């Protein structure tokens, strides 16, 4: 039996802890990833600024892929089911995750959403994170690919002002390129900024209004040819 | 932006530890926050101060140590501080995942953590 040493009343003692506060989320993310892999599901975490076109992009991806794969979409927002309702019109399973006050989704919320979903009937899960270029980057969810959406209407500084989230990205979508000229913001400039921070990220210019670039997004996410289970 | 919930997790973890060890109060909490974790230490301190009221942590001192960003390159085995690039147009420095040695893409291996290193308790 271990020797027990007790402290005297009022005695001061130091405890080494090394207790990692962020690790709890990393562990939950690894569990989600394992669960998804077991069911042969590919998951994509879509992050991005407010109003950059995350939901529009998801609607187009769903339209393009729903004949090919069984898809579910998890929509994260502080409140309302506006986004979920928009996506549900396309006839795929939709789960609205309301974070209340939190500025990001976390792996625990995704675990809860996965728990209420029939994973045997899915090939692809698209997760729409809360609109925010700061916090979501820090909390991995267990997705295979992380995509960040920004748009030219947010001006030319979005990437270099928020380098951390772009360091996390596998794919970056620069949306509303049809408005590029009117905004005086060049796609090439934003693409260069992304690649300066993270040369591995694939950058695609899109217009969700016209449908430009959606095939390239599918290709960049490597979901053009998912193996059906 | 999520400093309040982080402060809450920190306090909960410390309270558990204090309870486990029958401590009456917490004198000191030594926290390490990565410079690349999206946590503002100023806000973290503020939230901590709000949340410890009426708990055994009320009089505790929160010490925060920064952790530098560290990267590792798979291609050339470089390991060291993250490279900062200067943007002359806007006069800003930004971090990049470019390997300072071979120009390849590096992985971050440090500077994104937030952990409680140690606590000082009073029995």
């Amino acid at each position: 039996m271990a020797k027990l040493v007790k402290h005297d009343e009022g005695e001061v003692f130091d405890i080494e802890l090394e207790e990692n506060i962020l690790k709890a989320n990393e562990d939950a993310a690894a569990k989600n990833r394992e669960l998804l892999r077991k069911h042969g599901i590919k998951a994509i975490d879509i992050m991005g600024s407010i109003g950059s076109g995350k939901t529009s992009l998801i609607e187009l991806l769903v339209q393009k892929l729903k004949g090919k794969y069984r898809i579910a979409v998890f929509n994260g927002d502080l409140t309302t089911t506006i986004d979920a309702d928009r996506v549900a019109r396309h006839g795929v399973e939709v789960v609205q995750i309301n974070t209340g006050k939190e500025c990001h989704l976390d792996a625990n919320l995704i675990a809860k959403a996965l728990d209420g979903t029939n994973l045997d009937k899915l090939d692809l899960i698209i997760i729409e994170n809360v609109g925010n270029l700061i916090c979501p980057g820090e909390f991995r969810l267990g997705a295979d690919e992380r995509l960040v959406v920004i748009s030219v209407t947010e001006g030319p500084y979005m990437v270099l002002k928020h380098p951390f989230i772009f360091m996390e990205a596998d794919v970056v979508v620069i949306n509303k390129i049809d408005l590029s000229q009117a905004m005086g913001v060049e796609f090439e400039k934003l693409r260069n900024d992304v690649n300066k921070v993270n040369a591995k990220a694939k950058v695609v210019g899109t217009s969700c209004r016209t449908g430009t670039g959606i095939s390239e997004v599918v290709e960049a996410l490597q979901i053009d040819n998912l193996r059906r289970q | 932006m999520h400093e309040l919930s982080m402060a809450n997790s920190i306090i909960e973890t410390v309270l558990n530890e204090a309870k486990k060890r029958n401590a009456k109060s917490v004198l000191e909490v030594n926290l390490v926050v990565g410079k690349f974790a999206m946590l503002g230490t100023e806000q973290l301190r503020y939230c901590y101060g709000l949340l410890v009221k009426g708990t055994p942590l009320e009089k505790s001192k929160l010490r925060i140590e920064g952790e530098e960003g560290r990267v590792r390159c798979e291609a050339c085995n470089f390991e060291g501080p993250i490279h900062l690039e200067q943007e002359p147009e806007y006069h800003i420095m930004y971090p990049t995942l470019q390997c300072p040695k071979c120009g390849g893409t590096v992985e971050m291996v440090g500077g994104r953590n937030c952990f409680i290193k140690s606590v000082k308790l009073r029995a």
Side-chain angles (χ1 to χ4, degrees):
Chain A
M1 209 178 128
K3 194 165 80 175
L4 183 69
V5 178
K6 279 186 92 174
H7 288 283
D8 297 324
E9 179 82 21
E11 191 184 343
V12 172
F13 52 107
D14 289 300
I15 308 289
E16 299 285 323
L17 266 182
E18 298 284 334
E19 188 84 38
N20 199 329
I21 303 295
L22 284 170
K23 195 169 175 291
N25 186 71
E26 290 290 312
D27 292 346
K31 264 192 199 163
N32 289 344
R33 201 178 184 124
E34 182 58 38
L35 181 69
L36 290 165
R37 196 158 289 168
K38 216 171 77 189
H39 287 86
I41 298 171
K42 178 137 179 164
I44 300 157
D45 176 7
I46 299 200
M47 308 178 283
S49 6
I50 296 175
S52 60
K54 294 181 296 301
T55 313
S56 301
L57 176 69
I58 290 170
E59 287 188 82
L60 289 173
L61 290 175
V62 165
Q63 276 177 35
K64 196 171 173 65
L65 297 169
K66 69 177 178 185
K68 210 167 160 186
Y69 309 125
R70 298 164 300 174
I71 305 174
V73 177
F74 296 173
N75 286 97
D77 254 321
L78 271 69
T79 179
T80 80
T81 58
I82 294 171
D83 286 358
D85 295 341
R86 274 175 63 185
V87 178
R89 286 199 313 240
H90 301 285
V92 291
E93 189 176 347
V94 176
V95 179
Q96 176 74 48
I97 305 174
N98 281 146
T99 61
K101 294 187 178 70
E102 286 291 334
C103 43
H104 57 274
L105 290 179
D106 60 42
N108 183 43
L109 285 168
I110 297 304
K112 279 190 189 171
L114 289 174
D115 195 36
T117 308
N118 187 349
L119 300 179
D120 293 324
K121 294 198 167 151
L122 288 177
D123 305 305
L124 178 67
I125 295 179
I126 303 175
I127 304 164
E128 178 174 358
N129 219 311
V130 179
N132 176 346
L133 285 181
I134 308 166
C135 315
E138 183 138 286
F139 292 84
R140 292 185 183 142
L141 307 177
D144 301 277
E145 302 280 331
R146 304 197 85 188
L147 182 151
V148 178
V149 187
I150 55 168
S151 65
V152 296
T153 58
E154 294 146 41
Y157 316 121
M158 273 302 125
V159 178
L160 293 181
K161 276 186 176 177
H162 307 91
F164 309 104
I165 201 161
F166 293 97
M167 288 163 81
E168 274 291 306
D170 301 296
V171 179
V172 174
V173 166
I174 297 167
N175 193 25
K176 309 186 193 177
I177 50 169
D178 51 325
L179 298 177
S180 179
Q181 210 176 1
M183 289 304 300
V185 177
E186 285 168 36
F187 164 73
E188 284 305 327
K189 153 90 176 80
L190 289 169
R191 184 194 1 223
N192 283 341
D193 285 351
V194 172
N195 285 143
K196 275 193 255 180
V197 173
N198 178 359
K200 261 193 186 160
K202 294 171 223 163
V203 185
V204 183
T206 61
S207 164
C208 289
R209 187 180 278 172
T210 66
T212 307
I214 302 304
S215 302
E216 286 82 352
V217 177
V218 170
E219 204 175 303
L221 287 169
Q222 303 171 67
I223 49 174
D224 40 350
N225 206 4
L226 287 183
R227 193 167 48 90
R228 275 298 281 262
Q229 294 300 300
Chain B
M1 260 172 114
H2 41 265
E3 283 80 3
L4 187 66
S5 50
M6 286 303 283
N8 200 31
S9 305
I10 291 161
I11 291 165
E12 264 178 36
T13 308
V14 176
L15 276 176
N16 273 337
E17 198 61 31
K19 204 173 152 193
K20 225 161 63 187
R21 294 168 190 275
N22 286 320
K24 297 239 165 52
S25 62
V26 178
L27 303 180
E28 218 175 273
V29 174
N30 291 297
L31 194 68
V32 176
V33 177
K35 293 193 174 165
F36 291 81
M38 301 312 300
L39 289 169
T41 51
E42 203 57 44
Q43 292 98 312
L44 198 57
R45 271 184 200 289
Y46 175 70
C47 297
Y48 183 90
L50 293 177
L51 294 171
V52 293
K53 291 206 173 95
T55 76
L57 282 86
E58 181 152 9
K59 296 219 162 68
S60 65
K61 193 177 272 177
L62 176 66
R63 292 183 200 274
I64 301 179
E65 191 187 313
E67 185 194 44
E68 297 294 336
R70 285 189 74 77
V71 298
R72 188 188 297 138
C73 180
E74 290 254 317
C76 75
N77 287 324
F78 169 84
E79 189 170 334
I82 189 164
H83 183 59
L84 295 176
E85 196 74 51
Q86 172 96 25
E87 167 66 55
E89 197 182 338
Y90 314 128
H91 307 288
I92 53 164
M93 299 285 278
Y94 61 90
T96 155
L97 290 178
Q98 193 177 48
C99 176
K101 205 170 143 199
C102 75
T105 307
V106 293
E107 295 278 341
M108 274 202 88
V109 292
R112 294 193 42 192
N113 287 318
C114 171
F115 65 93
I116 305 168
K117 200 172 168 187
S118 63
V119 289
K120 188 175 270 191
L121 308 173
R122 189 193 292 275

